[in-house]
Amino acid sequence: MTWDLIWSSLGPILLGAVQATIPLALASFALGLVIALVIALMRISGNVLLSGIARFYISVIRGTPLLVQLFVIFYGLPNIGLKLEPWPSAIIALSLNVGGYGAEVIRAAILSVPKGQWEAGHMIGMSRAQTLRRIILPQAARVSLPPLSNTFISLVKDTSLASLILVTELFRQAQQIASVGGDFMVLYLEAAVVYWVICLVLSTVQSLLEKRLDRYVAH
Amino acid sequence: MTWDLIWSSLGPILLGAVQATIPLALASFALGLVIALVIALMRISGNVLLSGIARFYISVIRGTPLLVQLFVIFYGLPNIGLKLEPWPSAIIALSLNVGGYGAEVIRAAILSVPKGQWEAGHMIGMSRAQTLRRIILPQAARVSLPPLSNTFISLVKDTSLASLILVTELFRQAQQIASVGGDFMVLYLEAAVVYWVICLVLSTVQSLLEKRLDRYVAH
Amino acid sequence: MSPTSFRPQSGVFQPETVLRVAGLHKAFGTNEVLKGIDLEVPRGSVLALIGPSGSGKTTVLRSLNGLETPDGGTVTIGATSIDFSLGVRKQARAELRDRSAMVFQHYNLFPHMTVLQNVIEGPLQVQKRDRAEVVPEAEALLNRVGLLAKKDAYPFELSGGQQQRVGIVRALALKPQLLLFDEPTSALDPELVGDVLAVIKELAEEGWTMVIVTHELAFARQTADQVVFMDGGVVVERGPASEVLSNPRQPRTQQFLERVLHNY
Amino acid sequence: MSPTSFRPQSGVFQPETVLRVAGLHKAFGTNEVLKGIDLEVPRGSVLALIGPSGSGKTTVLRSLNGLETPDGGTVTIGATSIDFSLGVRKQARAELRDRSAMVFQHYNLFPHMTVLQNVIEGPLQVQKRDRAEVVPEAEALLNRVGLLAKKDAYPFELSGGQQQRVGIVRALALKPQLLLFDEPTSALDPELVGDVLAVIKELAEEGWTMVIVTHELAFARQTADQVVFMDGGVVVERGPASEVLSNPRQPRTQQFLERVLHNY
Amino acid sequence: GCSSSPASGTDSSLSDVTSKGELVVATEGTYKPFSYHEGGSGALTGYDVEIAEAVAAKLGVKAKFQETQFDGILAGLDAKRFDVVANQISINPDREKKYDFSKPYTVSSGVIVVKASNDSIKSFDDLKGKTTAQSLTSNWYKLAQQSGATVQSVEGWAQSVALLQQDRVDAVVNDKLTYLDFAKNTPNAGLKIAAETTDKSLSAFTLRKGSTALTEAINKALADLSADGTLSKISKKYFGTDVSK
Ligand SMILES: Nc1ncnc2c1ncn2[C@@H]1O[C@H](COP(=O)(O)OP(=O)(O)OP(=O)(O)O)[C@@H](O)[C@H]1O
Ligand SMILES: Nc1ncnc2c1ncn2[C@@H]1O[C@H](COP(=O)(O)OP(=O)(O)OP(=O)(O)O)[C@@H](O)[C@H]1O
Ligand SMILES: [Mg+2]
Ligand SMILES: [Mg+2]
């Protein structure tokens, strides 16, 4: 009977993964990386105001529960006239979140590139922006890959919170099926296995990428 | 009226923080660090079996939702005759979680200590264990401080899941109050501010600690 | 290949003095590191800058290359002159930088680029020159230092001596009026030093104008026209290489030379 | 302070030869790095090991100190002898390690300990000696190299030359029968080299038995009794220092010496 | 899982409760007016809570309440962490396969709640093509779905209201009692009842399969409480009418 349940629920759960969890994670991560880069650059810019804003942003994002961030964006913003649909709300909240965590990762990676690389860039006549783009960031990319892939793995699991704002993803599917008959233990375990498989795939991709980028730091 | 609500609910929310959130986080973190250290050492030990177990542990912990882990420990284990009280269950689940994330941090920190330090330890006649304890770990401590403090900050917010297994912490208090008047937006924001303040305090402690430990890596 | 590509750039305006430094001052916080440095390097001549650690040699070079902003004094390279006491426009510093090129102690090659990419990055991306012209030039220069076969290798695949020769080629490819070397061999294994010094010596013979910070006194004696000994942020002694190195007049110079030569 | 503390440890069993190496082999994977090395160092004598980069010098030293496990050959230090072809017990390697002490190229001081703590860590934690005895001894040694005033400083507060002198004291405090130096000055600024070499030279004069890997040929000529030139994992030439360094018989030795001396 | 299968051998469900002197009752604690905290942070109270207390008293034991979310409530029952659930659990055939139910203590109907300005929904048939919000606990899920609505699960009533007020869903299908309580406390919410079900929903104490003795004892207690007017009194306190039958 339990096996029947697992089998019959696998379809909806995988559907939730494919239709919501994975696209939500991918979209939020892509957008989040852009935010993270911008915030990281603001943070290391000499400008007191910009770096102050970046610090505040990072502190708020990391210091408050994602659940509340989702709630504020979805249920709170309409009070000031900004009504976003569930998917945009989820992507915004999740990517702001990735932006906060990722900014610190990227900042640390940029700072880990030896100062001599900046100087060599300037020496051949590059501006600060040019050196950053062509010399520093490619090297920082390799350094930040492992922590960023951790951020991504967390993100995959965090997408489950999007169910609170009406996105029916993997975990919500499991919950709905479970609430009918009360088989929460079975369905949560099943959902956990699906998350685990997704994360295993991600880890494998990470290792492959790391190997490809390895020349960037081998010196 | 909203201010009245905020004011009157602040007491219970802070009580939840002081009676549950903070002690839960502290206990789980302390225990989690021990687990993390053991797993990290297993992972870098030459032993294929030990490092295999460690890898599997880390993969499962990081690849599955904490909610499910809590669920399994509290609601699942009684099915095989192991019935734990809410607090022990919460501390076990959370510290296993810290153990998984922390293990990778500690492992990276150990590996970041220059190989020459191991050799200098051996040169003065120390065994592997002695070198690890007296030479490597003190230096790894400084390196792992920032990522571990991130783990701790995440942990503080993750304690909110303990409400699922009957621990009335900060967030649960906010939920209870919100359920009466329906003001969940206000109360969630209030809870978020409390989390944020806790995290700010933690970050400050981290900076102070970093300064104290800085001589360990300045060379 | 044509040896032309190895020759210094010839501009329209050719003063006899390529580099002139006057009254250069620089402090880091309260630490006054340069206390008025004067230098003059004629076209095609080599100046060796020697002195104890912390005496300010690197700071001088970095100031010439616009990596450091002095608090006062003037630097003239070719047609560009900057008076740092007037407050410096970014533009002026960039111009200074364009006229000189530096070879670093730790090579500082770009680890994510091949040898060839390292060399052509500046000419292509900064000087916006034509790829069809830049690549053959770069290959010719690499060939000249014996590294054409390594053009598609990454820096980590090279020995230190090879990396430093790439560093030199990267600087040459910019066709600067002035070449700066900051202890170019001190990070190398002793047997690899020779190859790099030989390349530098050849450059000197071909007429490049150079300032070299070095502890290789035998090399300085052979290659440099002029030796300047700095200590504590001032020039203590200067003169023809053979004179300063063989018959130093100042006691500080004598003491320094003795220590570096480890006379047991 | 008593100069005694600076003297080598005298055991009960005192053979004339402190170190004997016979047929030492070591491969990393398929890369055969040592192809049968024989060495013999009498008590109180100094052997200088020279050779090009990658020739296996460091691997020899590390094998003597138990940091590397050779595939074959025997190493005898004082009363301890290990035949590596028999497969090595951890115990035997630890014994070997206890009889020698090494000074590293990059010092490898413990950055989280003060100078004094660095020196007494081995005697206290490993040799389980009495603190009341160890500390004065350590202080005497530090005084000897001119660093007693720095005993409470952390390594990062010291110059490279000072750090390396602490590295030497750390090794001496272990009272080993054999001192090993792996290019002890090659990471130092040229003017700081002298101080460190002077300390090593004094140790030689006081009768310590030492093996020194170095590129400082002038120093080797003055200090070493015996010079061994290695290349490609074999001993190419050996003999009295002045002979090998001044009149090398093997072409490979001649070539190497030429390169290191950069004869322009 | 297997934990739901009836315990083989003797049924100790009642004797366990009497011997430890307490009836462990699981409830959400955030479900007004059935199970909530007085004033938000005061003592646990509510319709279900008081009835559970009365039943426990009849059994001669104390009621000990454990609060958690709906998923934890049922999983905890499986894990023998609770003896009984008092949280307006509606009886349905799926749940009856897995759990034992007492006699119902709440008889209520479902209502469609819409914004006061909404005139397009007047019956369940009108839900076709509309979006409704629905909490996981409730039994109206199927009804709305069968009427052709897209059903969104939400965590509780408060969010359902927010979704309605923000025009994010067209209707909420919920227990009538919940709505009435809400309307009493929040008269200006701008919501109204658009339709009511003809079917009644029956809520009861939920027990592990095989807790026959305890179920019977609770049934007897409920019958006694009904007879002596206690149920009716509690019901009137919360709803103004008797919803216990
Ligand atoms: N960025 C900086 N901030 C603060 N002080 C600096 C900085 N760069 C150099 N200094 C100080 O300036 C002084 C001169 O340094 P500089 O590197 O020019 O000496 P140097 O002659 O090149 O020495 P070395 O032979 O060790 O390279 C030193 O005391 C150094 O500590
Ligand atoms: N741990 C290791 N794994 C693999 N190969 C190694 C290892 N250590 C040394 N080798 C190789 O062994 C050879 C000898 O190295 P070794 O360090 O002994 O040379 P060396 O004479 O000390 O050179 P140098 O003057 O550069 O210090 C080199 O080819 C080196 O790449
Ligand atoms: Mg310098
Ligand atoms: Mg070596």
Side-chain angles (χ1 to χ4, degrees):
Chain A
M1 197 206 106
T2 300
W3 288 110
D4 285 352
L5 178 64
I6 291 176
W7 181 242
S8 68
S9 58
L10 193 57
I13 287 181
L14 288 180
L15 201 70
V18 172
Q19 289 191 334
T21 302
I22 293 172
L24 205 52
L26 286 176
S28 308
F29 193 65
L31 204 59
L33 278 188
V34 176
I35 298 173
L37 183 59
V38 171
I39 297 291
L41 293 180
M42 284 170 65
R43 179 92 156 75
I44 58 178
S45 79
N47 189 310
V48 181
L49 182 69
L50 288 182
S51 90
I53 293 172
R55 274 162 179 279
F56 182 76
Y57 173 84
I58 292 168
S59 160
V60 168
I61 290 288
R62 305 206 315 171
T64 61
L66 174 56
L67 185 145
V68 176
Q69 296 163 19
L70 274 162
F71 256 73
V72 169
I73 288 173
F74 188 71
Y75 291 111
L77 290 187
N79 296 332
I80 56 162
L82 193 62
K83 193 166 124 187
L84 298 166
E85 290 303 302
W87 269 77
S89 303
I91 290 176
I92 289 173
L94 291 170
S95 58
L96 287 176
N97 213 261
V98 170
Y101 284 89
E104 286 295 90
V105 167
I106 292 178
R107 171 176 152 259
I110 290 176
L111 294 180
S112 81
V113 176
K115 220 175 121 243
Q117 291 292 315
W118 282 100
E119 304 197 331
H122 292 325
M123 188 278 283
I124 64 169
M126 283 182 168
S127 65
R128 203 178 135 85
Q130 228 174 348
T131 308
L132 186 72
R133 192 164 47 79
R134 299 205 38 100
I135 309 298
I136 305 300
L137 287 183
Q139 298 179 55
R142 169 64 185 82
V143 179
S144 56
L145 189 62
L148 282 182
S149 91
N150 285 346
T151 307
F152 194 38
I153 287 175
S154 293
L155 174 65
V156 168
K157 294 183 292 165
D158 286 344
T159 54
S160 68
L161 287 175
S163 67
L164 298 179
I165 59 167
L166 313 187
V167 178
T168 308
E169 42 60 68
L170 195 169
F171 200 73
R172 176 60 100 200
Q173 288 283 9
Q175 242 177 354
Q176 274 176 0
I177 299 168
S179 67
V180 175
D183 306 282
F184 285 102
M185 186 53 77
V186 172
L187 281 147
Y188 281 10
L189 275 175
E190 185 177 346
V193 171
V194 176
Y195 278 114
W196 188 46
V197 170
I198 296 176
C199 292
L200 283 182
V201 171
L202 286 177
S203 302
T204 311
V205 172
Q206 176 198 343
S207 312
L208 292 176
L209 255 177
E210 269 182 41
K211 276 202 194 107
R212 275 207 51 181
L213 290 179
D214 248 348
R215 71 167 74 108
Y216 287 10
V217 279
H219 51 140
Chain B
M1 198 204 101
T2 301
W3 288 110
D4 285 353
L5 177 64
I6 291 176
W7 181 242
S8 69
S9 58
L10 193 57
I13 288 181
L14 288 180
L15 201 70
V18 172
Q19 288 190 338
T21 302
I22 293 171
L24 204 52
L26 286 176
S28 307
F29 193 65
L31 203 59
L33 277 188
V34 176
I35 297 173
L37 183 59
V38 171
I39 297 290
L41 294 179
M42 284 169 65
R43 179 93 157 74
I44 58 177
S45 79
N47 189 310
V48 180
L49 182 68
L50 288 183
S51 89
I53 293 173
R55 274 163 178 279
F56 182 76
Y57 172 85
I58 292 168
S59 158
V60 168
I61 290 288
R62 305 206 314 171
T64 62
L66 174 56
L67 184 143
V68 177
Q69 295 164 19
L70 273 162
F71 222 80
V72 169
I73 287 175
F74 190 71
Y75 296 116
L77 290 186
N79 295 331
I80 57 164
L82 193 63
K83 195 160 141 186
L84 300 166
E85 291 303 302
W87 270 77
S89 302
I91 290 175
I92 288 173
L94 292 171
S95 60
L96 286 176
N97 212 261
V98 170
Y101 284 88
E104 286 295 88
V105 167
I106 292 179
R107 170 175 153 260
I110 289 176
L111 294 180
S112 81
V113 176
K115 222 177 120 241
Q117 291 292 314
W118 282 100
E119 305 197 331
H122 292 325
M123 188 277 283
I124 64 169
M126 285 182 167
S127 66
R128 202 178 136 84
Q130 227 174 349
T131 308
L132 186 72
R133 193 165 45 78
R134 297 203 41 99
I135 309 297
I136 306 300
L137 288 183
Q139 298 179 56
R142 170 63 185 82
V143 179
S144 56
L145 188 62
L148 282 181
S149 91
N150 285 347
T151 307
F152 193 38
I153 287 175
S154 292
L155 174 65
V156 168
K157 295 183 291 167
D158 286 343
T159 53
S160 68
L161 287 174
S163 67
L164 182 66
I165 61 169
L166 316 185
V167 177
T168 306
E169 39 60 66
L170 194 169
F171 201 72
R172 174 77 187 178
Q173 288 282 9
Q175 265 178 331
Q176 271 178 15
I177 300 169
S179 73
V180 171
D183 310 280
F184 60 91
M185 197 71 237
V186 172
L187 281 147
Y188 282 12
L189 273 175
E190 184 176 349
V193 170
V194 175
Y195 279 114
W196 188 47
V197 169
I198 297 176
C199 292
L200 282 183
V201 171
L202 286 177
S203 301
T204 311
V205 172
Q206 177 198 344
S207 310
L208 292 176
L209 255 177
E210 269 182 41
K211 276 201 196 109
R212 274 208 51 182
L213 290 179
D214 247 348
R215 69 166 77 106
Y216 286 11
V217 279
H219 50 142
Chain C
M1 58 151 288
S2 125
T4 333
S5 53
F6 220 46
R7 293 255 169 78
Q9 190 182 15
S10 10
V12 177
F13 177 66
Q14 295 208 357
E16 273 308 288
T17 301
V18 170
L19 172 69
R20 180 176 285 127
V21 176
L24 204 64
H25 273 85
K26 173 75 185 172
F28 291 107
T30 57
N31 180 14
E32 215 184 334
V33 171
L34 301 183
K35 302 170 184 162
I37 302 289
D38 304 319
L39 298 174
E40 207 172 302
V41 186
R43 172 166 309 283
S45 98
V46 176
L47 182 149
L49 198 54
I50 63 172
S53 181
S55 57
K57 308 179 297 294
T58 295
T59 307
V60 169
L61 281 203
R62 291 167 57 84
S63 300
L64 302 184
N65 196 228
L67 290 174
E68 214 73 77
T69 308
D71 305 322
T74 50
V75 172
T76 312
I77 304 179
T80 304
S81 183
I82 301 190
D83 186 343
F84 286 100
S85 30
L86 301 177
V88 182
R89 290 155 304 125
K90 228 170 149 182
Q91 177 59 23
R93 222 171 57 187
E95 259 178 57
L96 210 56
R97 184 176 289 161
D98 287 349
R99 308 214 163 240
S100 67
M102 179 122 121
V103 176
F104 298 94
Q105 180 177 13
H106 292 105
Y107 339 136
N108 294 353
L109 297 185
F110 306 128
H112 59 302
M113 297 183 183
T114 64
V115 164
L116 184 64
Q117 286 167 342
N118 263 279
V119 176
I120 64 180
E121 180 74 5
L124 283 188
Q125 297 294 328
V126 181
Q127 301 178 346
K128 307 288 182 197
R129 292 175 54 204
D130 197 5
R131 192 183 182 89
E133 179 192 312
V134 167
V135 170
E137 254 183 50
E139 290 180 346
L141 287 170
L142 286 171
N143 190 30
R144 189 71 179 70
V145 300
L147 289 175
L148 185 55
K150 297 280 186 188
K151 76 185 164 86
D152 294 322
Y154 282 88
F156 74 91
E157 299 171 284
L158 305 182
S159 75
Q162 292 172 328
Q163 289 192 51
Q164 191 57 298
R165 280 180 278 157
V166 175
I168 294 173
V169 169
R170 179 174 66 177
L172 293 178
L174 298 169
K175 302 195 178 177
Q177 292 185 281
L178 176 66
L179 276 174
L180 307 170
F181 294 85
D182 191 6
E183 305 193 27
T185 61
S186 67
L188 295 177
D189 274 336
E191 322 103 75
L192 303 178
V193 168
D195 293 344
V196 172
L197 290 184
V199 168
I200 299 175
K201 203 173 162 202
E202 275 185 28
L203 294 177
E205 283 158 7
E206 286 178 14
W208 286 83
T209 313
M210 307 196 273
V211 178
I212 308 176
V213 174
T214 185
H215 287 290
E216 297 284 347
L217 299 185
F219 166 77
R221 183 180 287 119
Q222 290 220 351
T223 312
D225 301 295
Q226 209 190 144
V227 166
V228 169
F229 172 68
M230 279 180 69
D231 194 6
V234 298
V235 172
V236 173
E237 185 161 356
R238 72 175 87 217
S242 54
E243 223 166 84
V244 174
L245 294 175
S246 310
N247 301 304
R249 277 163 303 167
Q250 302 293 328
R252 270 150 89 192
T253 317
Q254 290 161 9
Q255 189 195 354
F256 171 77
L257 292 176
E258 240 165 60
R259 294 192 81 184
V260 172
L261 294 169
H262 326 304
N263 303 315
Y264 309 99
Chain D
M1 58 149 290
S2 127
T4 334
S5 53
F6 221 46
R7 293 256 169 77
Q9 188 182 19
S10 7
V12 178
F13 178 66
Q14 296 209 353
E16 274 307 289
T17 301
V18 170
L19 172 70
R20 179 175 286 129
V21 176
L24 204 64
H25 274 85
K26 173 74 185 173
F28 291 108
T30 58
N31 180 15
E32 216 183 332
V33 170
L34 301 183
K35 303 170 182 163
I37 302 289
D38 304 319
L39 298 174
E40 208 172 304
V41 186
R43 171 168 309 283
S45 96
V46 176
L47 183 148
L49 199 54
I50 64 172
S53 180
S55 57
K57 308 178 297 293
T58 295
T59 308
V60 170
L61 281 204
R62 290 168 56 83
S63 300
L64 302 184
N65 195 228
L67 291 174
E68 214 71 78
T69 309
D71 304 321
T74 49
V75 172
T76 312
I77 304 179
T80 304
S81 183
I82 300 189
D83 186 343
F84 286 99
S85 33
L86 301 177
V88 183
R89 291 156 302 128
K90 228 168 146 182
Q91 176 59 23
R93 221 172 56 187
E95 260 178 58
L96 210 56
R97 183 175 290 161
D98 288 349
R99 307 214 164 238
S100 67
M102 179 121 120
V103 176
F104 298 93
Q105 179 178 11
H106 292 105
Y107 339 134
N108 293 353
L109 298 184
F110 305 129
H112 57 303
M113 297 182 182
T114 63
V115 164
L116 184 65
Q117 286 167 343
N118 262 280
V119 175
I120 63 179
E121 180 73 5
L124 283 188
Q125 297 293 329
V126 181
Q127 300 177 348
K128 306 289 180 196
R129 292 174 55 203
D130 197 4
R131 190 181 184 91
E133 179 190 312
V134 167
V135 171
E137 254 182 50
E139 290 180 346
L141 288 170
L142 285 172
N143 191 29
R144 190 70 179 68
V145 300
L147 288 175
L148 186 55
K150 297 279 186 187
K151 76 185 164 87
D152 294 321
Y154 282 88
F156 74 92
E157 299 172 282
L158 304 183
S159 76
Q162 292 171 328
Q163 289 192 51
Q164 191 57 297
R165 279 179 278 158
V166 175
I168 293 173
V169 169
R170 179 173 68 177
L172 294 178
L174 299 169
K175 302 194 179 178
Q177 291 184 283
L178 177 66
L179 276 174
L180 307 170
F181 294 85
D182 191 7
E183 305 194 26
T185 60
S186 67
L188 295 177
D189 274 336
E191 324 101 78
L192 304 177
V193 169
D195 294 344
V196 172
L197 290 184
V199 168
I200 299 176
K201 202 174 163 200
E202 275 185 29
L203 294 177
E205 283 157 8
E206 286 178 17
W208 286 82
T209 314
M210 308 197 272
V211 178
I212 308 177
V213 173
T214 185
H215 287 290
E216 298 283 348
L217 300 184
F219 166 77
R221 182 181 286 120
Q222 290 221 350
T223 313
D225 301 295
Q226 213 190 142
V227 165
V228 170
F229 173 67
M230 278 180 69
D231 193 6
V234 297
V235 172
V236 173
E237 185 161 355
R238 72 174 87 216
S242 54
E243 225 166 85
V244 175
L245 294 175
S246 310
N247 302 305
R249 276 162 304 168
Q250 301 294 327
R252 270 150 89 192
T253 318
Q254 290 160 10
Q255 189 195 353
F256 171 77
L257 293 177
E258 242 165 59
R259 295 192 80 183
V260 172
L261 295 170
H262 325 304
N263 303 315
Y264 308 100
Chain E
C2 43
S3 60
S4 61
S5 56
S8 51
T10 52
D11 171 16
S12 63
S13 58
L14 181 58
S15 55
D16 284 350
V17 169
T18 45
S19 67
K20 69 185 172 202
E22 61 184 21
L23 180 68
V24 182
V25 185
T27 190
E28 275 184 300
T30 51
Y31 190 11
K32 204 168 174 248
F34 305 104
S35 165
Y36 65 100
H37 285 259
E38 196 93 56
S41 52
L44 182 70
T45 183
Y47 175 70
D48 288 47
V49 170
E50 288 202 32
I51 292 184
E53 276 168 343
V55 166
K58 281 282 177 206
L59 298 181
V61 296
K62 262 188 60 198
K64 180 184 171 194
F65 291 94
Q66 302 278 32
E67 296 169 58
T68 181
Q69 294 143 35
F70 184 57
D71 44 5
I73 284 179
L74 289 186
L77 189 63
D78 295 342
K80 301 193 174 69
R81 289 199 173 269
F82 322 124
D83 300 316
V84 58
V85 179
N87 199 60
Q88 285 295 303
I89 307 268
S90 357
I91 304 174
N92 74 27
D94 282 315
R95 289 177 185 162
E96 279 183 306
K97 278 186 222 148
K98 199 165 167 222
Y99 300 105
D100 283 349
F101 285 95
S102 72
K103 290 274 180 307
Y105 60 82
T106 319
V107 178
S108 172
S109 51
V111 290
I112 303 177
V113 179
V114 296
K115 269 187 123 169
S117 55
N118 183 339
D119 292 325
S120 67
I121 298 174
K122 294 197 171 65
S123 70
F124 273 81
D125 290 339
D126 293 337
L127 288 180
K128 193 172 173 60
K130 299 284 200 286
T131 307
T132 70
Q134 183 78 42
S135 61
L136 285 168
T137 19
S138 105
N139 212 13
W140 308 110
Y141 186 93
K142 275 202 172 137
L143 192 58
Q145 220 168 27
Q146 281 158 7
S147 311
T150 309
V151 181
Q152 295 281 13
S153 306
V154 297
E155 313 307 305
W157 172 249
Q159 283 155 53
S160 305
V161 171
L163 289 170
L164 256 189
Q165 288 174 332
Q166 295 175 358
D167 292 320
R168 304 192 111 125
V169 296
D170 302 303
V172 171
V173 184
N174 210 307
D175 197 290
K176 186 180 177 184
L177 298 175
T178 309
Y179 176 73
L180 290 178
D181 178 72
F182 167 78
K184 194 171 76 191
N185 294 313
T186 322
N188 300 321
L191 304 182
K192 68 174 182 190
I193 293 180
E196 193 167 337
T197 57
T198 43
D199 291 353
K200 297 290 174 193
S201 127
L202 305 176
S203 300
F205 291 114
T206 311
L207 296 90
R208 261 186 308 284
K209 206 79 184 162
S211 307
T212 318
L214 183 57
T215 308
E216 278 165 8
I218 289 175
N219 283 342
K220 184 171 176 304
L222 281 173
D224 289 352
L225 290 168
S226 176
D228 69 13
T230 311
L231 289 189
S232 167
K233 204 180 94 202
I234 296 173
S235 175
K236 284 195 175 118
K237 173 176 167 194
Y238 285 95
F239 306 107
T241 69
D242 187 358
V243 302
S244 68
K245 43 185 177 265

